[in-house]
């Protein structure tokens, strides 16, 4: 019952339905639960101690901000006592209240400042949010080509989802170099706005193994046979360009750095 997340009342119901003897009393049940909790904590601590020695992730607690007070932020404040480690980087979303509270409390003193790294997943969602807001803002207004921003072959929900995914992939695949990360982000915009008359694959990877089929055709000397498909109209591409400009800013990408895990030092 504990394994499937049920308590004593469920155990009593099960025993009744199966014509089994009554289970343990509430007092015995609580005593057994306490024993399980003690053993689980001991095993967890032993496992984390081994992980800490190898530099692995040892904590994944949620940090919650409620009524102006920091709750469940034990990660930083117990790391030295429990693991002999100092967490130097905090990974979170755009809300800085929790991070500011931790930074102000200085759990390791003035000599070890805490650095904030934006969560790639949260930043990736910004692309989708910005594109949806942009689409709502334009509504039925006409773009430079006399058509609305939405509709078949334009900024549909499917296209916005793809652009958001491609943006996140560009960040994760280039964590080693922020300039290459920025180039990969712009490759998404340029690639999706390319046409046969105006190919814009300058930032796309080159060579036969590129995800860009145009550049593969260039490598294979078959570019004359290549035809662009599912390209966003120029009017739509120009409207969404500022979103890519904002979300490829070097300051933001440096905060990301492609680091998805809590990094630690002894």
């Amino acid at each position: 019952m504990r394994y499937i997340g049920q308590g004593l009342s469920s155990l009593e119901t099960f025993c009744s339905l199966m014509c089994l003897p009554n289970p343990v009393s509430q007092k015995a049940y609580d005593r057994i639960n306490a024993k399980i909790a003690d053993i689980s904590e001991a095993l967890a601590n032993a496992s984390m101690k081994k992980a800490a020695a190898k530099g692995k992730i040892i904590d994944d607690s949620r940090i919650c901000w409620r009524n102006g007070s920091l709750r469940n932020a034990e990660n930083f404040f117990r790391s030295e006592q429990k693991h002999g480690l100092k967490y130097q980087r905090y990974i979170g979303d755009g809300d800085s209240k929790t991070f500011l509270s931790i930074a102000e409390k200085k759990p390791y003193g003035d000599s070890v400042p805490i650095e904030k790294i934006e969560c790639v997943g949260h930043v990736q969602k910004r692309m989708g949010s910005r594109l949806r807001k942009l689409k709502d803002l334009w509504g039925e207004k006409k773009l430079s080509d006399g058509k609305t921003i939405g509709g078949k072959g334009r900024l549909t929900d499917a296209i916005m989802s793809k652009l958001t995914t491609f943006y996140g992939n560009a960040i994760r695949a280039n964590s080693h170099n922020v300039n290459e990360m920025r180039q990969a982000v712009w490759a998404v915009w340029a690639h999706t706005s390319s046409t046969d008359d105006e190919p814009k694959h300058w930032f796309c990877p080159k060579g036969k193994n590129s995800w860009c089929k145009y550049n593969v055709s260039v490598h294979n000397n078959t570019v004359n046979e290549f035809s662009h498909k599912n390209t966003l109209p120029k009017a739509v591409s120009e409207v969404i360009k500022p979103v890519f400009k904002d979300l490829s800013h070097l300051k933001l990408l440096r905060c990301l750095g492609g680091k998805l895990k809590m990094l630690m030092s002894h």
Side-chain angles (χ1 to χ4, degrees):
M1 284 295 167
R2 291 287 300 163
Y3 186 77
I4 63 174
Q6 300 299 317
L8 180 57
S9 61
S10 296
L11 182 57
E12 290 172 340
T13 300
F14 176 79
C15 289
S16 175
L17 293 173
M18 299 300 293
C19 296
L20 294 173
N22 290 330
V24 296
S25 65
Q26 183 68 58
K27 184 176 181 180
Y29 181 81
D30 293 339
R31 185 171 63 251
I32 294 170
N33 266 342
K35 187 65 174 179
I36 292 174
D38 290 341
I39 294 174
S40 298
E41 183 177 2
L43 290 172
N45 288 333
S47 176
M48 287 188 288
K49 186 175 182 180
K50 291 181 180 179
K54 296 179 180 179
K56 295 182 178 180
I57 301 301
I58 59 175
D59 230 325
D60 186 30
S61 298
R62 296 290 183 265
I63 295 179
C64 175
W65 181 270
R66 187 176 300 167
N67 298 327
S69 62
L70 187 66
R71 300 171 63 89
N72 301 325
E74 296 91 355
N75 299 45
F76 289 86
F77 304 104
R78 68 186 180 187
S79 64
E80 282 191 289
Q81 178 183 357
K82 295 192 68 174
H83 310 300
L85 301 175
K86 297 177 181 178
Y87 297 137
Q88 294 183 312
R89 295 174 177 87
Y90 167 89
I91 299 179
D93 57 18
D95 189 351
S96 60
K97 292 180 181 178
T98 301
F99 169 71
L100 290 175
S101 179
I102 293 175
E104 290 174 0
K105 291 180 183 297
K106 299 179 180 179
Y108 312 122
D110 294 331
S111 61
V112 184
I114 308 300
E115 174 188 2
K116 183 183 179 183
I117 298 176
E118 292 286 349
C119 171
V120 172
H122 281 91
V123 174
Q124 175 179 331
K125 291 179 181 178
R126 293 184 194 178
M127 175 63 74
S129 298
R130 288 286 300 273
L131 292 175
R132 286 190 293 272
K133 289 180 180 179
L134 187 65
K135 185 176 181 180
D136 291 340
L137 179 64
W138 278 91
E140 297 301 316
K141 292 187 293 184
K142 305 298 183 182
L143 275 58
S144 60
D145 61 358
K147 299 179 181 180
T148 60
I149 192 172
K152 185 178 180 180
R154 300 173 78 81
L155 195 62
T156 61
D157 289 342
I159 290 297
M160 289 188 287
S161 178
K162 285 184 178 180
L163 291 175
T164 300
T165 299
F166 294 159
Y167 173 71
N169 291 343
I171 293 171
R172 294 184 176 92
N174 296 276
S175 60
H176 57 286
N177 189 305
V178 72
N179 290 318
E180 292 182 10
M181 188 187 298
R182 187 183 191 190
Q183 177 174 306
V185 172
W186 276 110
V188 174
W189 175 84
H191 181 89
T192 55
S193 62
S194 295
T195 64
D196 292 339
D197 294 331
E198 190 178 3
K200 302 176 182 178
H201 302 281
W202 327 291
F203 302 131
C204 296
K206 306 294 192 296
K208 64 179 181 180
N209 296 320
S210 174
W211 53 260
C212 174
K213 294 182 179 180
Y214 178 87
N215 280 345
V216 172
S217 70
V218 171
H219 176 82
N220 294 332
N221 295 317
T222 58
V223 69
N224 292 332
E225 303 172 13
F226 184 86
S227 177
H228 286 83
K229 298 178 181 179
N230 303 320
T231 297
L232 280 176
K234 185 175 182 179
V236 176
S237 296
E238 290 302 317
V239 168
I240 68 174
K241 189 175 182 179
V243 176
F244 278 83
K245 182 178 180 180
D246 290 346
L247 297 183
S248 65
H249 197 284
L250 286 178
K251 184 177 180 180
L252 172 62
L253 299 184
R254 286 195 188 101
C255 290
L256 285 166
K259 299 178 178 66
L260 299 176
K261 297 179 179 180
M262 183 75 76
L263 302 180
M264 301 161 292
S265 67
H266 288 277

